Amino acid sequence: MRPGANLVGAALVVAAVLAGCADVPLEGAPSPGRSTAPKPPAGTPSKPGAPSPSPTKPSTPSPSPSKPSTPVPGQKLPAAAPVLRSFPGRLPNGKPPLFVVVSFDGAGDLALWARWRAVAKQVNARMTFFLSGPYLYPGNHRTDYKPPYRQPGASEIGWGDAANVLGRTKVLREAIAEGHEIGTHANGHFCGTNGIGRWTTAQWTAELSAFDQMVRTGPTLAAGKTVAPPFDPSTVKGMRTPCLEGNRPAYRQAMVQRGMLYDASAPGYITWPKKLDGLWNFPLESVTLAGTGKKTLTMDYNLWFAQTQARKAPLAQAPALKAQVLATYQQALAKSRASGNPPLFLGNHFNRWNNSVYSDALTDFVKQTCTQPDVRCVSNMELASWLAKYGVPSGQNRPS
């Protein structure tokens, strides 16, 4: 790599970080006065007076949930980060496994929960779902949440209703039983200038404690009777911060104090992970949008912005846009293979943006890739477990 190339690359990655991502408000009920339009990645120029791009809100309602079971007294709650599989340190070709990690922010929509669990089952994949606390907490108790610099009950993604809270409780239990991992996406999803960037370690500690409370008490409050939490929140091992923002040393200190193991929030490169601030750094990686010279991150919203400035394209363009996203993923996979098999981290939301281009492209990629002999499609925690056992392959932690 030529001198200075790393600095140029770093600038491109920073420019691709979200200034605001677009988790879909719960039940279509954002906080009063809040715009649900997604914001462009930081560093993207905009024309004066140009309207804010706005994705289409999912129109498919969540299915009616099955009634969750009443807990057995003394029942042990499942761990949020199960590691039920083991993988070899080296494959027969002498290389480490090529780990593909698919993760989702928010994890609220019940129909998309069913979709991704079914996709994972087809190819023996495990995935990570970064849960937003309000998705598991009823809105009539929202003032229990007291975020920094905001009124009690503030949330940029709304709150749950009883039926959906109980439906999510059931599906979270089932997903964990299938080997999927639940991480945290924090709670109020406050982004931008007046968002989480100014929070201190103490405020992050309170935010994570509020997440614990929502998980532990939300289902019972929604049902009006005792219902077991879907998992033990103290066993959550990773976080992705809202909009990939936040003072990293500050929130990572809070994470370390809780015994968490990895942060999946920072931008980075296709390279073997390393530890920063006491945690594994599992980044969203810088890639080139296929057929262009545009740099973006391996996050669905960033890909959408790179393609159409986060505006919905005509339906007739969907096949070409989907093919471009799929080709971008395939290029990234080839780059990993050429660089010693560092993990590929793909970040996503439960969304139907741009005529479902990003969900559909990811579905095809997972089905094509996860059954390949050298690939293992794993959760973040499965990768962290492998790294704890074998370590980073020597000489393999430089950007490719």
Side-chain angles (χ1 to χ4, degrees):
M1 181 176 291
R2 70 182 190 279
N6 245 352
L7 294 176
V8 174
L12 290 170
V13 172
V14 170
V17 179
L18 296 176
C21 60
D23 282 359
V24 177
L26 286 172
E27 284 77 61
S31 299
R34 184 244 180 191
S35 169
T36 60
K39 301 174 185 178
T44 303
S46 58
K47 296 179 181 179
S52 298
S54 179
T56 301
K57 186 180 72 178
S59 58
T60 305
S62 297
S64 298
S66 302
K67 184 177 179 181
S69 58
T70 301
V72 177
Q75 176 183 14
K76 184 178 180 180
L77 296 177
V83 177
L84 307 177
R85 306 183 296 176
S86 61
F87 306 97
R90 296 281 174 173
L91 300 173
N93 63 8
K95 291 185 177 182
L98 201 172
F99 293 108
V100 174
V101 184
V102 174
S103 60
F104 297 88
D105 295 7
D109 187 297
L110 290 167
L112 290 174
W113 259 114
R115 171 183 179 152
W116 289 111
R117 287 171 61 202
V119 169
K121 188 174 183 180
Q122 288 179 44
V123 294
N124 195 31
R126 305 293 185 271
M127 299 174 175
T128 298
F129 299 85
F130 292 105
L131 176 69
S132 296
Y135 284 35
L136 211 61
Y137 209 71
N140 60 336
H141 289 272
R142 62 185 177 273
T143 55
D144 295 340
Y145 174 51
K146 297 175 176 60
Y149 312 111
R150 306 278 174 143
Q151 292 296 315
S155 169
E156 294 292 288
I157 53 172
W159 294 90
D161 63 24
N164 281 286
V165 166
L166 296 178
R168 293 180 189 115
T169 299
K170 180 175 183 291
V171 87
L172 285 162
R173 289 192 198 115
E174 293 170 347
I176 289 170
E178 293 163 1
H180 298 297
E181 177 193 5
I182 309 303
T184 179
H185 196 42
N187 303 310
H189 210 278
F190 306 117
C191 301
T193 305
N194 296 317
I196 60 175
R198 53 183 172 162
W199 288 10
T200 65
T201 294
Q203 289 168 330
W204 273 106
T205 297
E207 177 79 353
L208 293 170
S209 294
F211 175 84
D212 294 351
Q213 179 191 2
M214 292 182 199
V215 172
R216 289 189 183 280
T217 65
T220 289
L221 291 172
K225 62 180 181 181
T226 302
V227 174
F231 57 88
D232 179 352
S234 71
T235 62
V236 167
K237 296 301 181 185
M239 177 165 70
R240 177 169 293 141
T241 60
C243 307
L244 313 183
E245 294 179 355
N247 180 316
R248 304 209 191 283
Y251 73 71
R252 285 173 174 165
Q253 184 177 347
M255 293 176 70
V256 169
Q257 290 170 355
R258 285 172 58 92
M260 298 173 78
L261 298 179
Y262 71 86
D263 175 30
S265 310
Y269 302 92
I270 298 176
T271 184
W272 281 96
K274 61 182 178 180
K275 285 192 173 182
L276 294 171
D277 303 314
L279 299 166
W280 284 110
N281 182 42
F282 290 167
L284 278 306
E285 295 161 327
S286 175
V287 294
T288 302
L289 184 67
T292 77
K294 294 180 181 178
K295 289 287 187 181
T296 185
L297 297 181
T298 49
M299 171 67 85
D300 51 5
Y301 179 80
N302 292 71
L303 289 162
W304 184 24
F305 193 92
Q307 286 186 317
T308 66
Q309 299 286 293
R311 291 180 172 87
K312 186 176 181 180
L315 181 60
Q317 295 180 18
L321 293 172
K322 173 187 167 183
Q324 186 179 43
V325 174
L326 182 58
T328 301
Y329 289 151
Q330 291 167 339
Q331 284 180 182
L333 188 74
K335 185 174 184 179
S336 172
R337 282 201 176 104
S339 308
N341 284 9
L344 188 61
F345 295 100
L346 305 180
N348 307 274
H349 296 77
F350 276 9
N351 76 83
R352 302 173 180 85
W353 296 332
N354 215 4
N355 301 303
S356 260
V357 161
Y358 310 99
S359 292
D360 291 348
L362 180 62
T363 296
D364 284 0
F365 181 76
V366 166
K367 289 180 177 180
Q368 293 172 9
T369 303
C370 293
T371 56
Q372 294 178 15
D374 60 338
V375 172
R376 304 293 185 272
C377 288
V378 301
S379 68
N380 278 298
M381 192 56 202
E382 285 185 313
L383 174 58
S385 177
W386 186 91
L387 288 167
K389 183 175 182 179
Y390 296 105
V392 173
S394 58
Q396 296 292 325
N397 59 353
R398 292 179 300 170
S400 61

